[in-house]
Amino acid sequence: MARPTTSFTCNACGAHHSKWSGRCEACGDWNTITEDTPLSAGPGAKSIGAKRGTPLHLTDLATEEAPPPRTLSGMPELDRVLGGGLVPASAILVGGDPGIGKSTLLLQAAARFAASGLKTLYVTGEEASAQVRMRAQRLGLGDAPVQLAAATALRDILTTMETEKPQLVIIDSIQTMWADTVDSAPGSVAQVRAAAHELTSFAKRKGVSVILVGHVTKEGQIAGPRVVEHMVDTVLYFEGERGHQFRILRSVKNRFGPADEIGVFEMTGSGLSEVANPSALFLSGRGEPSPGSVVFAGIEGTRPVLVEMQALVAPSPHAQARRAVVGWDSARLAMVLAVLEARCGIPFAGLDVYLNVAGGLKISEPAADLAVATALLSAREDAALPAETVIFGEISLSGALRPVGQTENRLKEAQKLGFTAAIAPIGGKPGAATGMTLNQFGDLAGLVGDIFGAG
């Protein structure tokens, strides 16, 4: 029998190497390359013979029985992100920064699912059972019918799952699990990949829903090989700033629902509480109209969200002007500044520019271009916009304004919160939102000339 080829993998980025070296050429990190031991070389491995496979019978999809119903947790924000509830035999990966509240969220979710009749098993590899019980009592969940286990050996966990037959299993965290068939340390790429594969296969084979908690790297990505994200059905990121009480549960992959959906939570002394109307919460601290402050009507998944965009423009004391961004793409800010100077004749040379999305929310859609440009102009000209106005639209490199999708939903959300006017590109479909004054522009120069009298 031929000896399996030895390969090496970087624990930080998952890059493969033919030989060991002290520094990974892909990511530049030191002492992160470890040897991958194939499963055939691990302890207790068996030789697999060349048996013929069993033929599979094709069936007509139209004659298949209806899919099993989803299970609602009773937490509408969590159910929204999951696509309408928990799907049986699904694998879910939840990642987030340390201390952001992943374990608190999943312990509350486990209690809710168990209360709804789902047999739930919570496996912790980072805490003792007594510590989890203390946290449950602090959250008021001491009487929740959740089975608790503290273990890291994957074989013991799978045996327990086989015996107890739970319907939902929460693994906290996947980096602490180790398989005795893999000869490497817990948390390594090989261990994480093997543990995730075994748990995901068990979920599909037995019809059990599995939720895996994953650590994140300093770049904000889930630690371990990217193949783990491809194994699971749903990938969720739990985001938030330490200085803010808001937490965002964001779906970046979902085979059973819309991706880019968000759920909003607020961290309190008694755990995480849901925020039914995040727009009102993000705008709650907004006072009188001030220069550089505008309200952006955005869409996160299927939900319209109104958030305040804050800009500050000040003379720079240094030869190199500073550009600081929080909650938005810095490259997109550089593009908007270039369009303002090239197409509208408004320079920002020698001026420091600061941009912030209030509330700790991260905006990624291009529809925020127009709101950012308006906030920058408002701050530069020291002219405040009316408080009851919302703004959205995409800016092209030619200075033209492009319409964005779901204009009607954006306007309805703004109207519900008391806004009476909107600034948007020409071509949007306002639909039934006729109670608002809609100011539409074809290019950025026209908006600058009409609102700020320049350009």
Side-chain angles (χ1 to χ4, degrees):
M1 181 176 180
R3 184 178 179 180
T5 304
T6 303
S7 62
F8 299 85
T9 307
C10 175
N11 292 336
C13 65
H16 295 281
H17 302 271
S18 59
K19 62 180 180 179
W20 184 90
S21 62
R23 184 173 184 266
C24 176
E25 297 178 357
C27 64
D29 286 354
W30 290 86
N31 300 323
T32 58
I33 297 179
T34 57
E35 179 181 354
D36 286 341
T37 303
L39 293 178
S40 58
K46 298 180 180 179
S47 177
I48 301 177
K51 294 183 178 180
R52 297 183 59 185
T54 304
L56 300 177
H57 298 283
L58 298 179
T59 57
D60 185 4
L61 291 178
T63 62
E64 287 289 311
E65 60 182 7
R70 298 172 183 259
T71 302
L72 297 178
S73 66
M75 302 173 67
E77 295 297 305
L78 177 61
D79 294 335
R80 171 194 292 270
V81 177
L82 292 176
L86 186 66
V87 177
S90 62
I92 302 168
L93 180 62
V94 180
D97 293 332
I100 204 68
K102 301 184 297 298
S103 299
T104 300
L105 172 67
L106 293 180
L107 187 59
Q108 291 183 230
R112 294 291 188 93
F113 279 119
S116 64
L118 217 60
K119 188 175 182 180
T120 305
L121 173 63
Y122 188 98
V123 181
T124 175
E126 300 181 345
E127 300 176 275
S129 300
Q131 294 174 323
V132 178
R133 284 196 294 267
M134 286 175 57
R135 179 150 44 88
Q137 292 175 355
R138 178 174 59 85
L139 299 175
L141 306 175
D143 298 331
V146 177
Q147 293 180 312
L148 177 63
T152 57
L154 184 61
R155 188 182 298 274
D156 296 342
I157 294 171
L158 292 175
T159 303
T160 303
M161 293 166 61
E162 191 82 42
T163 304
E164 296 294 334
K165 295 181 173 54
Q167 297 169 288
L168 171 63
V169 179
I170 298 175
I171 306 294
D172 187 10
S173 65
I174 187 63
Q175 276 82 10
T176 61
M177 301 295 117
W178 66 275
D180 54 12
T181 56
V182 179
D183 189 15
S184 60
S188 63
V189 170
Q191 286 285 3
V192 172
R193 183 168 52 221
H197 172 71
E198 291 292 339
L199 290 168
T200 304
S201 300
F202 186 90
K204 303 299 182 183
R205 188 171 64 253
K206 298 295 184 179
V208 180
S209 300
V210 176
I211 300 179
L212 310 176
V213 178
H215 296 163
V216 297
T217 62
K218 57 185 178 182
E219 289 82 15
Q221 302 294 326
I222 295 179
R226 294 303 298 268
V227 69
V228 174
E229 298 187 25
H230 298 292
M231 289 180 185
V232 298
D233 302 307
T234 304
V235 179
L236 308 179
Y237 277 87
F238 202 40
E239 306 170 350
E241 299 291 337
R242 290 294 184 93
H244 295 282
Q245 70 271 29
F246 310 131
R247 300 289 187 269
I248 309 296
L249 184 64
R250 185 184 302 273
S251 170
V252 297
K253 171 190 174 183
N254 195 348
R255 290 174 178 160
F256 311 117
D260 294 329
E261 192 71 82
I262 68 167
V264 184
F265 299 85
E266 182 178 6
M267 180 63 76
T268 64
S270 58
L272 290 164
S273 61
E274 299 175 86
V275 178
N277 191 347
S279 298
L281 184 63
F282 288 133
L283 299 177
S284 60
R286 191 167 182 260
E288 295 296 324
S290 60
S293 174
V294 302
V295 176
F296 165 59
I299 295 290
E300 292 290 340
T302 59
R303 156 187 278 169
V305 176
L306 269 61
V307 64
E308 182 183 3
M309 310 288 285
Q310 302 170 343
L312 176 62
V313 178
S316 177
H318 308 289
Q320 183 71 29
R322 187 175 183 184
R323 306 287 186 258
V325 187
V326 177
W328 206 51
D329 186 9
S330 57
R332 199 120 189 134
L333 173 63
M335 185 205 74
V336 172
L337 292 173
V339 172
L340 286 172
E341 182 168 357
R343 306 302 180 189
C344 304
I346 301 176
F348 283 83
L351 297 173
D352 286 338
V353 175
Y354 301 89
L355 181 68
N356 176 50
V357 180
L361 186 66
K362 294 181 181 178
I363 302 296
S364 59
E365 62 169 332
D369 291 350
L370 190 56
V372 170
T374 308
L376 293 173
L377 292 171
S378 173
R380 187 183 186 278
E381 302 298 326
D382 197 25
L385 269 72
E388 65 278 359
T389 303
V390 297
I391 305 173
F392 56 90
E394 181 182 354
I395 299 177
S396 66
L397 293 179
S398 64
L401 300 183
R402 298 178 178 272
V404 295
Q406 303 193 44
T407 299
E408 182 179 358
N409 292 338
R410 300 174 197 263
L411 295 177
K412 284 183 177 180
E413 180 73 9
Q415 188 176 17
K416 184 172 66 175
L417 293 177
F419 290 86
T420 59
I423 298 175
I426 293 176
K429 300 178 181 179
T434 57
M436 298 186 65
T437 302
L438 185 60
N439 301 314
Q440 295 181 302
F441 297 91
D443 54 21
L444 188 58
L447 181 144
V448 172
D450 187 78
I451 297 180
F452 298 99

